[in-house]
Amino acid sequence: MSNSVEEMSKDLLISRRNGFFDVEDSVIAEADAFCEEYKHFLNTSKTEREAVRYAVSHAEKLGFVPFDPKQTYHAGDKVYYNNRGKALILAVIGEEGCKNGVRIAAAHIDSPRLDLKPYPLYEANDLVLFKTHYYGGLKKYQWTTIPLAMHGRVVKRDGTCVDISIGEQPGEQQFCVTDLLPHLGNEQMTKTLAKAIEGENLNVLIGSRPVRSDDGKDLFKLNIMKLIHDKYGLVEEDFVSGEIEFVPAFQAADIGFDRSMIGGYGHDDRVCAYPALEAIFRCEHPKQTILTVLADKEEVGSDGNTGMNSSFLKYFICDLARQEGLAGYDVLRKSKCLSADVTAAYDPTYASAYEPLNSCYLNNGVGVMKYTGARGKSGTSDASAEFMAEIRKLFYDNNVLWQTGELGKVDGGGGGTVAMFIANLDIDVVDVGVPVISMHSPFEVVAKLDVYMAYRGFLSFFQA
Ligand code: MN
Ligand code: MN
């Protein structure tokens, strides 16, 4: 080591500069190109069911076939396991199979939104509305007075499925939640952000014209139900067996004069799901068997049979193990996983929420988060020093721009990912994901360079 301060600093200290300066212009161009199809994915996959459909249709074009636990698979075989249309596992069988463990990239494809209640339809003072129950951790005031689209599936009593998407096509009708005009908002304006818009006020405006008739009641509600029936064949009771989600109707857009960022709904966690998909699509001959998992229900705690707290991933790996004559737990304990979920990006407008030394920043690459959680690192998987070092080396060796940090200030709040559910299966896990500004809002922002680096990170992990 030289004795000059400059040399010593270079050898001993982290040099912090914007990630842009660490990559060539050609990499910036690759990142911009990569994100074009990502925006298409965002626009066409606003719900977990739509994301699964997108993934399956692309996977099938690339030779993925439905997984059959009774089959014997060989290196290079590509399979997928569609869990009830709402979660998905894609796998490419490795040269070594799974005897040395599998490599997993696990993202989630559900996002905060407004779900319909079982009996949603009502009229009030000659307006027709839907009652909703919000899904996930959202700031309710952000969901008023924005254009909403209606997505989802209703299953009729006879079992027929009706898939709905209204409000995405140019010129198509949209919906909205109303808010009080400021002129009459004196009392509302004295309330806190948490209280100003109540959950029961997130009612979606869906009509204002009645059936033309001189008698009868509920004529406004009846007219809207008739329009829904004419188009989809539904009756009011069918909503009881429906999963209808109201999501922001806007399309993803480049943000900034330099087009360096993308604004859109549902980056959390499609911004990790898409790179994890692309990585498995483009990794042809992995040494170990590789898996991309797209999970549902993360935003409500990962419970339920399509969430990562269920056993579907474990059972899938056990099926892979069995056909190679291995015990499932032997494969699980040797397996490794990147829990692919977003992290908070530093926002100078809300600087006081962050600890600047340990925050992730836009354009500094994919975030590698040793732990998430809240209140003294509770509710998280704290990745081991050994596994952190392994991923750190992997990313260095493969020119993956990466950064690390925490989710805001200590005791400022907190959050979790699917990492702990996978770690609880005796798998080595670390969180690796894209930093997001305005997370959980209807219009989240990410940097294109970070999206691309997530892809490069997952690909290098699969190729290791
Ligand atoms: Mn997430
Ligand atoms: Mn989230």
Side-chain angles (χ1 to χ4, degrees):
M1 191 190 304
S2 154
N3 281 332
S4 87
V5 166
E6 198 184 332
E7 285 291 311
M8 233 161 51
S9 297
K10 194 163 165 291
D11 289 341
L12 298 181
L13 301 181
I14 295 171
S15 98
R16 287 188 164 241
R17 57 176 188 171
N18 190 284
F20 177 87
F21 297 109
D22 290 330
V23 298
E24 305 280 330
D25 281 345
S26 61
V27 175
I28 300 288
E30 285 166 27
D32 291 353
F34 181 83
C35 285
E36 286 304 303
E37 175 63 18
Y38 171 54
K39 285 183 282 181
H40 176 67
F41 173 69
L42 276 180
N43 292 338
T44 53
S45 307
K46 291 191 177 180
T47 68
E48 57 281 357
R49 287 181 190 273
E50 290 169 357
V52 166
R53 280 201 287 270
Y54 175 101
V56 168
S57 91
H58 283 252
E60 285 183 339
K61 283 182 199 135
L62 294 168
F64 284 79
V65 297
F67 179 65
D68 175 358
K70 294 187 195 76
Q71 281 268 335
T72 303
Y73 292 103
H74 306 284
D77 285 351
K78 300 170 179 177
V79 296
Y80 68 85
Y81 173 71
N82 185 340
N83 183 2
R84 300 167 170 87
K86 295 162 68 171
L88 187 71
I89 302 173
L90 298 138
V92 178
I93 309 301
E95 308 290 341
E96 304 177 341
C98 60
K99 68 172 187 284
N100 295 317
V102 298
R103 287 180 168 258
I104 308 163
H108 68 89
I109 46 175
D110 60 317
S111 297
R113 64 196 189 226
L114 306 179
D115 285 351
L116 282 195
K117 289 191 180 190
Y119 290 145
L121 184 64
Y122 72 106
E123 68 170 67
N125 307 96
D126 299 352
L127 295 177
V128 189
L129 301 108
F130 271 151
K131 294 297 293 178
T132 69
H133 195 143
Y134 66 96
Y135 174 98
L138 49 80
K139 291 164 106 174
K140 299 179 196 83
Y141 72 90
Q142 294 178 334
W143 293 73
T144 67
T145 63
I146 59 166
L148 297 173
M150 176 175 166
H151 291 241
R153 167 171 286 192
V154 177
V155 184
K156 295 198 267 186
R157 196 166 58 184
D158 67 4
T160 320
C161 294
V162 179
D163 287 312
I164 295 172
S165 170
I166 313 174
E168 299 290 348
Q169 300 308 317
E172 210 172 17
Q173 65 268 57
Q174 298 178 340
F175 311 92
C176 65
V177 173
T178 58
D179 194 2
L180 192 57
L181 61 168
H183 317 65
L184 299 179
N186 286 356
E187 191 201 333
Q188 185 194 38
M189 296 291 257
T190 66
K191 296 180 183 172
T192 60
L193 280 180
K195 288 281 166 62
I197 305 292
E198 304 276 354
E200 286 295 351
N201 286 356
L202 294 174
N203 304 316
V204 180
L205 186 59
I206 58 167
S208 67
R209 283 183 185 161
V211 173
R212 194 175 291 284
S213 164
D214 291 331
D215 46 16
K217 63 182 187 65
D218 291 338
L219 296 178
F220 290 80
K221 171 177 159 174
L222 182 62
N223 186 44
I224 296 305
M225 197 62 233
K226 181 177 184 306
L227 291 171
I228 294 171
H229 182 266
D230 289 348
K231 185 154 187 200
Y232 298 106
L234 301 178
V235 298
E236 186 180 5
E237 197 189 281
D238 287 327
F239 287 115
V240 167
S241 47
E243 288 176 341
I244 297 293
E245 308 173 8
F246 279 85
V247 298
F250 21 80
Q251 304 282 289
D254 286 346
I255 297 291
F257 287 107
D258 55 8
R259 295 180 175 270
S260 59
M261 299 165 281
I262 303 168
Y265 164 67
H267 282 310
D268 180 6
D269 187 31
R270 292 175 183 85
V271 75
C272 297
Y274 181 76
L277 263 184
E278 284 298 304
I280 199 162
F281 287 166
R282 300 192 201 183
C283 181
E284 286 283 344
H285 301 289
K287 196 162 83 173
Q288 290 171 265
T289 295
I290 57 172
L291 273 61
T292 285
V293 181
L294 304 182
D296 181 26
K297 292 284 175 275
E298 195 278 340
E299 296 297 357
V300 290
S302 293
D303 288 319
N305 58 12
T306 52
M308 284 316 296
N309 204 13
S310 101
S311 297
F312 76 96
L313 173 62
K314 179 173 74 179
Y315 292 161
F316 182 84
I317 293 172
C318 288
D319 278 339
L320 290 177
R322 187 178 48 189
Q323 53 147 306
E324 292 181 32
L326 303 164
Y329 58 81
D330 267 336
V331 174
L332 287 166
R333 94 157 63 91
K334 293 175 192 160
S335 294
K336 292 173 180 177
C337 174
L338 302 185
S339 163
D341 203 350
V342 297
T343 187
Y346 187 90
D347 181 347
T349 303
Y350 296 97
S352 66
Y354 300 86
E355 192 266 279
L357 187 61
N358 287 284
S359 290
C360 287
Y361 295 80
L362 288 195
N363 286 306
N364 279 7
V366 66
V368 182
M369 315 296 282
K370 192 170 180 299
Y371 51 84
T372 58
R375 298 175 305 281
K377 299 169 91 171
S378 287
T380 185
S381 159
D382 195 347
S384 70
E386 289 83 353
F387 195 50
M388 275 298 282
E390 183 178 325
I391 298 305
R392 188 178 148 209
K393 177 174 189 313
L394 178 78
F395 286 2
Y396 270 117
D397 292 348
N398 290 279
N399 295 316
V400 177
L401 190 65
W402 65 276
Q403 57 183 322
T404 190
E406 290 193 331
L407 195 73
K409 274 185 175 167
V410 174
D411 289 341
T417 67
V418 299
M420 60 179 170
F421 304 111
I422 296 169
N424 290 347
L425 298 174
D426 200 12
I427 293 174
D428 274 313
V429 186
V430 65
D431 278 298
V432 174
V434 175
V436 178
I437 283 181
S438 307
M439 194 196 294
H440 282 204
S441 79
F443 199 72
E444 305 172 313
V445 175
V446 298
K448 291 179 179 176
L449 182 58
D450 301 334
V451 182
Y452 182 56
M453 287 301 160
Y455 159 70
R456 295 246 301 235
F458 302 144
L459 186 61
S460 66
F461 178 68
F462 283 160
Q463 286 172 336

